Amino acid sequence: MVDYKNSSPDWQRHSGDVLVLPLGTLEQHGKHLPLNTVTISSERIARAVAEHFQAALLPALPISNSIVHTGFRGTFSFSPETLTRMIRDLADEAERQHFRYLVIISGDSNVGLLDAVCCDINRNDRKIKLLPVYPNSFADRSALTSTRKKITDFHAGEADTSRFLDAGGMLLAQPEMDRSDITRPKIPWTPSDLAIFGIGNMNAPGYVGMPGEANGSKGRALNAGITESVIAYLESRLAMLRRSNRYAGPGGLSVRLITPLDMPELMRLVETARWNQQEKDWEFLLDTCPEGCLGVAYQGKIIGTAVALDYPNGPVWINMALVDPEFQSYSVTSDLVEDLMRRFHDRPLRLDSTPQASSIYRKLGFRPEFEIMRLVRSGGPLPPAPTGVLRAALQDLPDLAEQDAEGFICERSFVLERLMREDHDCAFKLESADGFLLSRKGLRYRQLGPVYAPDDQKAADLVAAAIRTCNGGELVIDVPKVHTEFIELLRHMGFIAQRGFLRMGKNTLVSEKKTHYYATVGPEFG
């Protein structure tokens, strides 16, 4: 850890992202405790917290909000507006210095005010989060005399005086044993009464509790328990924030159908994920399967998507499972897919998953079918011109669709027709009429697929024709990993492995015939 006794270079070398601020007060604590009692206590807990988390420790602010002690000379307090501004300024400076968490160890006088400013900063989901901590709320008071006698004890009483003694403090006077001058309402005093009545209205000497019952051993037990509980609490809350720092969590999220009006947000999700889809891909999905295009909305904007493309007499193809990074720690994808499963509950379902997301789909009942390898070519020498490869035209569609249906186990000519119409320059067939290649231009690269061929070399010939037509532009191809010889031929043409996918299915009885099925259309279409 580092603190205010370290140099600026020491702080520059410090790699932690937690900053701790002790928030003290300068307020009366009866005749027996000094004005800075809360500051002493806050500093002690704050240092223990900073040491545990290897955090950076600020010096205590010795004055804060003590307006409930109005009337007692020696008590000094900032106005609520001033203290609020100070906390905001410190949070801004901490954020500029790349701290992510500002832990504020405070006395009870600041509870309402500090909670309000921390809530207001945190709800804006900034990079920094403020964690207010009130050590007294973690105190185990079961061993205190005031607790056994059911006596209200919350300021300069048995607990505060005992903790002060354990910290090595010297009493300024013998504390009161008699409570005869404490005002006793029919309903006992609570801290919330301080918004209505000052401390002096509760007890003219300025304490509320039984300070005469205090001793160092009680304080030792209180301080040890408070420190342990505060650290455990912060470990829990920091772990939660490291998973997601959204103030509202998943609150406010709602599933609805996607519409063309959502296009800016849909493309923002694609670009954030560095995927390849263009607006026309979303338009095709919205036109083809409007009832299967779901999104999760937050504040009117789409922050997650999943689409079900219904292949007649075949599977429902789940695709476009995108989530804004800010919401990825929540169950956005699983909620959307579960909704699609309910909408198509009696149908076989398939999808291509990344390895990282496969656990989500396993929990939903999907099972692995086969692995797919994505290979990328970013330029290089052109391969020799292949023989036996011809350009495919739209009139070839019935023959190509028949070959595709045999391999993919369903008819999807509407997808192939779109590919041929939009990227007809890169559509090829084998002269022997037993294989073909189509492609699709995307936002970042051209996707080759599907590819069907009688053998590895013929499949490679189709890819070579595509490479020459694209003049060495960036190409991507997704190949079932069973085609090891074909993958090796692709490597010789300049392709390198990028990542993998896992074909998964639910309620599926038959799988694709991979013998002649050398490349998929991509995760969007299978």
Side-chain angles (χ1 to χ4, degrees), residues 205-258:
Y207 66 88
V208 178
M210 302 182 72
E213 297 293 336
N215 61 57
S217 62
K218 291 179 181 177
R220 192 156 42 253
L222 282 168
N223 282 329
I226 287 171
T227 301
E228 181 180 352
S229 297
V230 165
I231 288 173
Y233 166 81
L234 287 171
E235 284 180 337
S236 166
R237 297 309 186 263
L238 287 169
M240 293 171 65
L241 288 171
R242 291 189 189 282
R243 288 193 294 272
S244 172
N245 72 341
R246 286 198 73 248
Y247 181 77
L253 304 183
S254 180
V255 176
R256 67 168 172 83
L257 290 174
I258 297 169

Side-chain angles (χ1 to χ4, degrees), residues 136 141 144 146 153 157-164 210 214 219 222:
N136 278 339
R141 300 169 180 265
L144 299 182
S146 54
D153 187 281
E158 183 180 7
D160 288 348
T161 306
S162 295
R163 292 181 61 202
F164 176 77
M210 302 182 72
L222 282 168

Side-chain angles (χ1 to χ4, degrees), residues 337-390:
V337 174
E338 281 188 300
D339 196 311
L340 291 173
M341 289 166 58
R342 287 190 291 271
R343 292 169 187 251
F344 298 93
H345 66 279
D346 59 345
R347 299 286 305 283
L349 306 169
R350 276 202 172 93
L351 55 85
D352 285 347
S353 169
T354 62
Q356 297 88 340
S358 62
S359 60
I360 297 174
Y361 301 116
R362 289 177 192 269
K363 291 177 183 177
L364 297 175
F366 285 81
R367 294 292 175 261
E369 295 185 351
F370 60 89
E371 292 181 273
I372 296 168
M373 179 185 294
R374 168 161 289 183
L375 298 102
V376 180
R377 187 181 192 277
S378 300
L382 297 180
T387 59
V389 177
L390 306 174

Side-chain angles (χ1 to χ4, degrees), residues 471-484:
N471 198 27
E474 186 165 51
L475 302 173
V476 163
I477 186 168
D478 295 338
V479 181
K481 287 183 73 173
V482 294
H483 294 301
T484 55

Side-chain angles (χ1 to χ4, degrees), residues 297-312:
Y298 177 70
Q299 303 287 34
K301 301 296 184 181
I302 295 296
I303 57 87
T305 61
V307 174
L309 178 58
D310 189 0
Y311 284 131

Side-chain angles (χ1 to χ4, degrees), residues 505-523:
K506 180 179 173 67
N507 304 328
T508 53
L509 299 177
V510 293
S511 181
E512 293 89 339
K513 296 179 180 178
K514 295 180 286 297
T515 305
H516 306 303
Y517 179 38
Y518 280 89
T520 74
V521 184

Side-chain angles (χ1 to χ4, degrees), residues 246-459:
R246 286 198 73 248
Y247 181 77
L253 304 183
S254 180
V255 176
R256 67 168 172 83
L257 290 174
I258 297 169
T259 74
L261 294 177
D262 297 313
M263 191 62 70
E265 292 304 310
L266 301 180
M267 290 309 300
R268 182 186 65 83
L269 290 173
V270 168
E271 290 169 8
T272 299
R274 298 189 63 79
W275 282 17
N276 194 43
Q277 292 75 25
Q278 300 184 77
E279 285 192 17
K280 61 183 181 181
D281 297 307
W282 279 113
E283 291 167 355
F284 174 76
L285 293 170
L286 288 166
D287 289 342
T288 305
C289 50
E291 75 288 349
C293 294
L294 297 185
V296 169
Y298 177 70
Q299 303 287 34
K301 301 296 184 181
I302 295 296
I303 57 87
T305 61
V307 174
L309 178 58
D310 189 0
Y311 284 131
N313 302 315
V316 173
W317 189 263
I318 307 296
N319 64 94
M320 301 304 292
L322 282 162
V323 183
D324 186 305
E326 184 181 340
F327 296 84
Q328 282 180 347
S329 61
Y330 306 111
S331 57
V332 173
T333 295
S334 58
D335 289 348
L336 286 169
V337 174
E338 281 188 300
D339 196 311
L340 291 173
M341 289 166 58
R342 287 190 291 271
R343 292 169 187 251
F344 298 93
H345 66 279
D346 59 345
R347 299 286 305 283
L349 306 169
R350 276 202 172 93
L351 55 85
D352 285 347
S353 169
T354 62
Q356 297 88 340
S358 62
S359 60
I360 297 174
Y361 301 116
R362 289 177 192 269
K363 291 177 183 177
L364 297 175
F366 285 81
R367 294 292 175 261
E369 295 185 351
F370 60 89
E371 292 181 273
I372 296 168
M373 179 185 294
R374 168 161 289 183
L375 298 102
V376 180
R377 187 181 192 277
S378 300
L382 297 180
T387 59
V389 177
L390 306 174
R391 289 196 178 274
L394 201 57
Q395 58 264 32
D396 298 312
L397 180 60
D399 292 337
L400 306 188
E402 184 177 346
Q403 294 179 53
D404 180 64
E406 183 179 349
F408 193 67
I409 315 299
C410 79
E411 200 276 338
R412 52 175 180 174
S413 58
F414 65 101
V415 172
L416 304 186
E417 181 178 357
R418 174 176 179 260
L419 296 178
M420 296 188 74
R421 287 187 182 279
E422 294 189 357
D423 203 7
H424 55 83
D425 290 339
C426 194
F428 296 95
K429 64 179 181 179
L430 292 176
E431 191 174 9
S432 53
D434 53 0
F436 69 94
L437 175 150
L438 302 179
S439 70
R440 176 167 49 95
K441 292 178 182 177
L443 194 65
R444 302 182 184 280
Y445 46 77
R446 178 179 253 144
Q447 175 102 33
L448 303 183
V451 177
Y452 288 93
D455 57 50
D456 301 283
Q457 186 57 58
K458 293 292 186 181

